[in-house]
Amino acid sequence: MVKVNPVPTNWCRKVTFFKEVFMSKLLIVANVLNIFLLIVLVSSVAGFISFLNIYGLFLAFVTAAIAWSVFKHQRWGYFAAAAWALACYQLAKQGYEFQSIKRHVMILGFALIPVALFLHEILGKAAAKVAQNNGKESNDGPKMPD
């Protein structure tokens, strides 16, 4: 009979340690990117207010709502920030807005899309799932035929 050596516990500890170190470094990077995204959103609110018209106030309000949800680490806020960045990129590309800073808005919008989606996956809080059957396992539901 061949005796198989189990996985040494020392090896498992090393893997767990490296996993924890990697995740902590990933969270540090995510928090830095989150601060960068918040700075861009808050400065955009100020920029939209400087339009001095109702359209600018509307854009500032929408951007402030997105910034608040990013500050609260809500998943939809990060996704909305990615959509917002894409919209700003498109507005600048088409020439509808941002005439004097067109190139900067396009570069920043293009760069913020993957950042916001990355933060959506790493920092975004998942919505609390409500147990549909109060935590009880039941086999009363429809079953697939064998």
Side-chain angles (χ1 to χ4, degrees):
M1 181 171 236
V2 177
K3 191 173 187 180
V4 178
N5 290 337
V7 177
T9 56
N10 192 19
W11 182 79
C12 291
R13 286 185 198 139
K14 287 181 183 178
V15 169
T16 305
F17 172 74
F18 287 121
K19 182 179 174 184
E20 289 174 4
V21 168
F22 175 73
M23 290 305 292
S24 67
K25 290 185 188 282
L26 188 67
L27 285 176
I28 291 170
V29 169
N31 284 324
V32 169
L33 289 174
N34 192 49
I35 291 169
F36 172 70
L37 180 61
L38 282 171
I39 290 171
V40 169
L41 288 170
V42 170
S43 63
S44 297
V45 168
F48 288 139
I49 290 174
S50 72
F51 285 3
L52 298 175
N53 59 21
I54 193 72
Y55 177 67
L57 289 177
F58 173 73
L59 291 176
F61 176 75
V62 169
T63 306
I66 293 170
W68 180 254
S69 64
V70 166
F71 177 72
K72 290 294 192 176
H73 298 288
Q74 294 175 346
R75 289 180 70 87
W76 73 267
Y78 291 114
F79 194 76
W84 174 86
L86 180 63
C88 288
Y89 171 83
Q90 227 19 62
L91 285 171
K93 182 180 177 188
Q94 297 291 330
Y96 295 128
E97 291 294 333
F98 315 114
Q99 293 297 326
S100 60
I101 54 172
K102 180 178 181 177
R103 178 180 297 177
H104 303 292
V105 170
M106 288 177 64
I107 291 171
L108 194 59
F110 189 72
L112 282 181
I113 295 167
V115 168
L117 292 177
F118 169 75
L119 293 173
H120 169 74
E121 292 298 322
I122 300 298
L123 293 180
K125 293 180 184 175
K129 294 184 180 178
V130 178
Q132 294 188 6
N133 57 4
N134 295 329
K136 300 176 186 173
E137 290 189 29
S138 83
N139 294 329
D140 298 339
K143 295 182 180 178
M144 296 293 293
D146 290 332

